[in-house]
Amino acid sequence: MYDIAIIGGGVTGCAIARWLSRYKLKTILIEKHEDVASETTKGNSAIIHAGYASPDGTIRCKMNVKGNPMFDQAKKELHFDFERVGSFVVAFTDEDMKAIEHELKQARERNIPGEIITDIKRIKTMEPNISDKVKGIFYAPTAGLVWPFGLTVALAENAFENGVEFLFSSPVTGIRKTEKGFTIQAGEKQIDTIIVINAAGVFADDIAKMVGADDFTITPRKGEYILMDRGSCPVNYILFPTPTIVSKGILVCPTIEGHTFIGPNAQNQESKTDVRTTSAGLNEIIVGGRKLLPSIPIRSAITNFAGLRAVSNRNGDFIIEPSKVENFINVAGICSPGLSSCLAIAEYVVSLVKDHTTLKVEENPDWNPIRKPQKRLVDMNEDELSEAIKERSQWGRVVCRCETVTEAEIVDAIHRPIPCTSMDMIKKRIRPGMGRCQGGFCTPKILKILSRELDKPVTEITKNDKGSEMVFARTKQLEIQPWKGDKP
Ligand SMILES: Cc1cc2nc3c(=O)[nH]c(=O)nc-3n(C[C@H](O)[C@H](O)[C@H](O)COP(=O)(O)OP(=O)(O)OC[C@H]3O[C@@H](n4cnc5c(N)ncnc54)[C@H](O)[C@@H]3O)c2cc1C
């Protein structure tokens, strides 16, 4: 019998798992995919928002304002990539100027540093390629960039090392109330638990419905992106337009790894799984992005992708509360700024467990907040690299040229506390395939390394979940079948 079962291994579920690992509790995290960060957490703007933007009095405002400063300590403990680069909200008209004055007012009321800059020369020095039509900006220096995969993996690994169990590839299909708590049907397994924490992203309403704790609905709101090649479209700051009612608008934004993206747009849809991009959506992004940065060289785009915001029917606010079913806590509608808020959400959820459930919560004296990071070539100087190669020749073999990832790093990722068994798992740890060629060069090499290290035939290595095998046979072993369709 578990004390707590968390459903969902996105950034929210993993942050909660890590916070719970401070206590003497038997906790399990159940995830339907083979890895953490497999849904909304993998498709977003990766901004740790300063906290001035969300409406007053909302839970998301409270969580963002509290959560942003928590990133400094978390970075020290968990060693993930995070940097406070600062953001601009760019005003072009008198009406936009009123909007940024409102943002400044909200920032002041919330003790968030920020200023309005109207000196165009200063703005141009800070961001040389910004549109000449700029009238003023609201500058918020505490806004930051994070690598969402790195953050989520770090939270999950630290939770794991402190005793949290992870059950992957196990979709929850039913939850039954029992005398002592709940029985969860997760893939082939039945999990008995006293408490359930529902952190299932866009599916949180479906999970809540399984026990009648669904006094809310979730609408998926798609946001599409275009990622530009490293160095092709340099920006120093996160550039927002003034916000719309449904989103923060289409932005131009550096990534912590040195690329730039444009997006996202905002489209409500019915499907909770459709993350395809459309040409209309991508055109909308280009037009939006060029308002802020007219020189965007769209030919330098290396990929496009989309993510789904989980928008609740409570004015789009987060729902973080004990449900009407005893010991069942909903952590739902975690749309933007969910990434920025995840650490504060985790702390708050644990306070709900303490105050609103039947569980006795005691500190774990052995809790270790420190996660040992993986050694990376990009962090080494020449001497360190020479030493590393002397000890292990795999440090001298670069497998992904775009992101400079060596064989040693891939092997180490495969043998991390939460072991990597697929292409995407490795990508989410150390980035091979995330650069200019998008895996064109390194994919076959990584397949071979995975096959060797896991002692499995290459035909059994998957891209991600079961059924996504990438290789079927050697080309020369395939029999070419005669064409049976219509003549061209
Ligand atoms: C376009 C866009 C831009 C954004 N930009 C930002 C930003 O810049 N800054 C910011 O702070 N936030 C941003 N966000 C919001 C942020 O990405 C989310 O708040 C956050 O990722 C939500 O994490 P989550 O763990 O709640 O959900 P998810 O990452 O979706 O995780 C939920 C998990 O539950 C699992 N699950 C679902 N159903 C089941 C089941 N039946 N059984 C088992 N597991 C299940 C899923 O597989 C998934 O892994 C953005 C979001 C989008 C879409």
Side-chain angles (χ1 to χ4, degrees):
M1 178 75 135
Y2 289 91
D3 292 315
I4 300 189
I6 301 163
I7 302 175
V11 74
T12 309
C14 292
I16 296 169
R18 195 238 177 184
W19 208 279
L20 282 171
S21 72
R22 293 163 179 248
Y23 302 93
K24 285 194 207 161
L25 296 167
K26 193 168 154 53
T27 304
I28 186 166
L29 184 147
I30 305 168
E31 168 54 51
K32 74 175 162 200
H33 295 291
E34 46 121 38
D35 193 14
V36 297
S38 294
E39 294 207 343
T40 302
T41 301
K42 79 172 184 182
N44 55 64
S45 306
I47 298 165
I48 301 308
H49 292 285
Y52 56 81
S54 298
D56 266 334
T58 56
I59 304 172
R60 61 195 163 113
C61 168
K62 202 168 140 194
M63 293 296 142
N64 188 172
V65 172
K66 181 133 200 262
N68 174 302
M70 294 171 84
F71 272 80
D72 299 307
Q73 180 66 19
K75 178 181 169 170
K76 275 187 208 147
E77 294 174 348
L78 299 173
H79 301 102
F80 55 84
D81 291 336
F82 165 66
E83 206 180 321
R84 294 191 187 280
V85 296
S87 65
F88 287 7
V89 183
V90 184
F92 296 107
T93 63
D94 289 344
E95 209 175 308
D96 290 348
M97 286 303 291
K98 277 191 205 139
I100 64 171
E101 273 153 25
H102 176 69
E103 304 215 299
L104 174 68
K105 180 173 161 282
Q106 291 201 148
R108 290 209 171 126
E109 285 163 3
R110 297 171 191 174
N111 281 326
I112 297 164
E115 61 175 312
I116 286 183
I117 306 174
T118 49
D119 174 350
I120 304 298
K121 211 169 143 198
R122 185 173 162 210
I123 296 172
K124 283 277 186 182
T125 311
M126 292 171 86
E127 193 64 75
N129 297 325
I130 199 167
S131 166
D132 292 339
K133 293 183 182 151
V134 58
K135 226 173 157 177
I137 59 156
F138 171 57
Y139 170 50
T142 54
L145 297 173
V146 74
W147 193 42
F149 296 127
L151 166 64
T152 311
V153 167
L155 290 163
E157 283 190 351
N158 188 243
F160 177 81
E161 287 177 321
N162 282 298
V164 175
E165 292 175 40
F166 284 76
L167 181 62
F168 290 113
S169 304
S170 301
V172 171
T173 49
I175 307 174
R176 191 163 45 83
K177 188 92 184 82
T178 61
E179 206 183 309
K180 290 197 176 142
F182 303 88
T183 299
I184 301 173
Q185 186 68 47
E188 302 289 296
K189 293 215 165 127
Q190 293 204 329
I191 304 293
D192 292 319
T193 178
I194 300 171
I195 290 174
V196 175
I197 296 175
N198 169 17
V202 287
F203 294 93
D205 51 351
D206 301 313
I207 294 289
K209 210 178 273 174
M210 293 177 188
V211 283
D214 57 325
D215 50 359
F216 63 90
T217 56
I218 300 294
T219 302
R221 183 174 293 160
K222 188 187 275 183
E224 295 163 275
Y225 291 93
I226 298 175
L227 186 70
M228 311 298 295
D229 197 3
R230 196 174 266 134
S232 68
C233 179
V235 272
N236 299 322
Y237 296 89
I238 302 159
L239 305 182
F240 293 103
T242 50
T244 67
I245 293 169
V246 289
S247 83
K248 296 180 186 72
I250 293 164
L251 45 143
V252 180
C253 184
T255 71
I256 193 136
E257 314 82 34
H259 294 93
T260 297
F261 72 75
I262 48 177
N265 53 0
Q267 288 287 342
N268 284 0
Q269 63 181 35
E270 275 188 22
S271 168
K272 292 185 172 184
T273 52
D274 180 355
V275 285
R276 287 173 298 182
T277 53
T278 61
S279 59
L282 299 179
N283 279 332
E284 182 189 351
I285 292 169
I286 296 167
V287 171
R290 282 194 171 146
K291 282 188 189 149
L292 297 164
L293 204 82
S295 58
I296 292 171
I298 209 62
R299 280 189 188 176
S300 302
I302 56 174
T303 190
N304 53 67
F305 61 94
L308 301 180
R309 304 169 183 89
V311 183
S312 80
N313 63 341
R314 297 204 197 152
N315 275 332
D317 202 4
F318 295 170
I319 298 168
I320 311 172
E321 60 189 25
S323 74
K324 59 186 176 186
V325 177
E326 191 184 32
N327 289 344
F328 189 99
I329 296 174
N330 283 317
V331 188
I334 310 299
C335 55
S336 190
L339 213 52
S340 321
S341 309
C342 67
L343 304 173
I345 292 176
E347 188 185 42
Y348 181 55
V349 169
V350 175
S351 78
L352 293 180
V353 171
K354 288 179 183 167
D355 298 343
H356 294 274
T357 69
T358 49
L359 211 61
K360 205 166 140 233
V361 179
E362 280 175 50
E363 298 261 342
N364 171 9
D366 300 327
W367 185 64
N368 179 8
I370 309 298
R371 165 195 173 253
K372 210 168 159 224
Q374 195 183 328
K375 205 165 146 188
R376 299 294 318 275
L377 177 129
V378 286
D379 300 328
M380 290 181 185
N381 61 33
E382 271 186 30
D383 291 343
E384 287 166 337
L385 181 58
S386 303
E387 275 309 304
I389 294 171
K390 266 187 227 157
E391 275 175 33
R392 200 170 144 206
S393 59
Q394 288 174 337
W395 278 105
R397 284 198 282 278
V398 173
V399 174
C400 168
R401 293 179 190 174
C402 307
E403 298 297 299
T404 340
V405 183
T406 61
E407 182 173 351
E409 291 160 89
I410 293 167
V411 171
D412 289 350
I414 294 170
H415 301 292
R416 287 291 292 175
I418 296 178
C420 293
T421 51
S422 72
M423 295 294 295
D424 282 359
M425 284 184 90
I426 294 187
K427 197 168 166 181
K428 287 184 203 168
R429 270 66 178 179
I430 48 172
R431 302 188 48 79
M434 288 201 172
R436 177 178 298 165
C437 87
Q438 291 286 298
F441 176 77
C442 61
T443 298
K445 289 173 188 273
I446 302 170
L447 274 172
K448 275 192 189 163
I449 299 171
L450 271 164
S451 160
R452 183 188 75 210
E453 294 295 315
L454 300 174
D455 197 16
K456 274 182 175 181
V458 82
T459 46
E460 285 179 23
I461 305 296
T462 52
K463 174 162 165 49
N464 41 55
D465 293 321
K466 201 162 174 253
S468 64
E469 289 76 14
M470 301 172 79
V471 174
F472 296 97
R474 285 190 177 276
T475 323
K476 298 218 165 56
Q477 287 172 349
L478 284 176
E479 274 182 38
I480 309 292
Q481 301 294 330
W483 173 251
K484 290 198 181 121
D486 294 337
K487 282 197 177 143

